Amino acid sequence: MKSRKALVLLSGGQDSTTCLYWAKNRFGSIEAIGFNYGQRHVRELEIASTTAQEAGVSYYIATVNTLSDVSENALTKNSIDVEESVTAGMPPNTLVEGRNLLFLTYAAIYAKSKGINDLVIGVSQTDYSNYPDCREQFIRSAENSLSLAMDYKFTVHAPLMWRTKAETWLLADELGVLNIIRHNTLTCYNGIIGDGCGNCPACKLRKKGWDEYVFSSKFKVQSSKFKV
Ligand code: ZN
């Protein structure tokens, strides 16, 4: 894919930043796009901007902040607290309905204007948190709909789709960016960079994956399931 250019959806979190480096390694050149959608922690966009700059990648931030007017959730409404635990089978209150569909649509419009066919997004259904727009079925459907909507062949890459969080840490290691991902990304719902607050659901998931990764690398158990 060295002859192709890709557009990475970059939010400044662990997953999308790992995808940035995955794409950098795989494609001839890349650009990144982020979204200001009225999220609780706009700081993530500053972090993403710095990351993109350090990676030598241009970063465009699209403003879609009316999303917070029509969406009731803890990520865009400061009056709603992030739930510490979730009901089995139910999405957590951090779900922003339709977010990935909206973001992919903006990304696709931007990509087509630049002659880019490949989009990269850091969604995963392996450690499934009941976010319906992180599933493989949705991604394939969006890829098809966007291609039809714009009469243009899009390929949506989701390299983390079948990776656990531990396997995502391993990927960062294999790409030689483990320290960048560990210290310069923001996943925490309380807006604390790196290892985060340790208590919110995003930090717990990240830490569980980290512990599993550290344990498996100690015993030199390497994943052969994936090719970097
Ligand atoms: Zn946290």
Side-chain angles (χ1 to χ4, degrees):
M1 294 195 206
K2 288 287 179 195
S3 61
R4 279 154 55 181
K5 184 172 188 178
L7 179 66
V8 181
L9 285 81
L10 179 67
S11 72
Q14 176 190 355
D15 293 345
S16 67
T17 308
T18 304
C19 285
L20 180 82
Y21 285 99
W22 175 86
K24 206 167 180 264
N25 192 52
R26 174 161 297 229
F27 291 90
S29 63
I30 58 170
E31 285 192 39
I33 185 169
F35 299 93
N36 181 347
Y37 61 97
Q39 61 267 57
R40 188 182 279 253
H41 302 296
V42 182
R43 189 167 174 234
E44 66 186 30
L45 293 176
E46 295 165 16
I47 292 166
S49 297
T50 307
T51 300
Q53 204 175 11
E54 286 172 359
V57 175
S58 80
Y59 187 49
Y60 171 71
I61 297 174
T63 301
V64 289
N65 56 8
T66 50
L67 180 59
S68 57
D69 295 342
V70 294
S71 180
E72 285 290 322
N73 63 81
L75 280 197
T76 57
K77 293 265 190 299
N78 281 330
S79 55
I80 303 174
D81 289 332
V82 174
E83 290 167 338
E84 294 227 346
S85 58
V86 293
T87 313
M90 294 288 289
N93 74 350
T94 45
L95 169 69
V96 184
E97 298 282 8
R99 178 173 57 172
N100 286 339
L101 181 58
L102 185 71
F103 290 178
L104 280 169
T105 303
Y106 268 88
I109 295 166
Y110 181 83
K112 188 178 177 186
S113 78
K114 301 239 167 182
I116 298 171
N117 298 86
D118 295 274
L119 305 176
V120 181
I121 185 166
V123 294
S124 170
Q125 74 171 63
T126 303
D127 286 326
Y128 187 51
S129 309
N130 290 309
Y131 287 130
D133 58 356
C134 290
R135 293 177 294 182
E136 170 79 5
Q137 193 181 14
F138 160 71
I139 294 298
R140 297 286 72 89
S141 165
E143 178 182 75
N144 192 36
S145 291
L146 292 167
S147 298
L148 287 171
M150 292 179 225
D151 196 18
Y152 188 76
K153 177 66 188 144
F154 288 109
T155 302
V156 181
H157 303 267
L160 309 185
M161 183 59 77
W162 304 111
R163 290 176 194 267
T164 62
K165 272 276 182 263
E167 287 164 340
T168 299
W169 283 116
L170 175 63
L171 175 61
D173 193 0
E174 288 168 347
L175 291 166
V177 292
L178 191 61
N179 280 332
I180 293 174
I181 304 298
R182 182 154 186 220
H183 300 296
N184 300 350
T185 59
L186 176 64
T187 306
C188 173
Y189 290 142
N190 290 311
I192 300 169
I193 196 168
D195 289 340
C197 74
N199 291 319
C200 74
C203 280
K204 283 179 185 161
L205 186 61
R206 178 173 162 138
K207 170 124 188 6
K208 183 174 166 279
W210 174 258
D211 290 345
E212 285 169 14
Y213 158 73
V214 169
F215 180 82
S216 62
S217 56
K218 224 184 249 174
F219 293 96
K220 306 244 182 295
V221 179
Q222 295 292 312
S223 166
S224 56
K225 270 199 307 186
F226 308 104
K227 201 166 164 261
V228 173

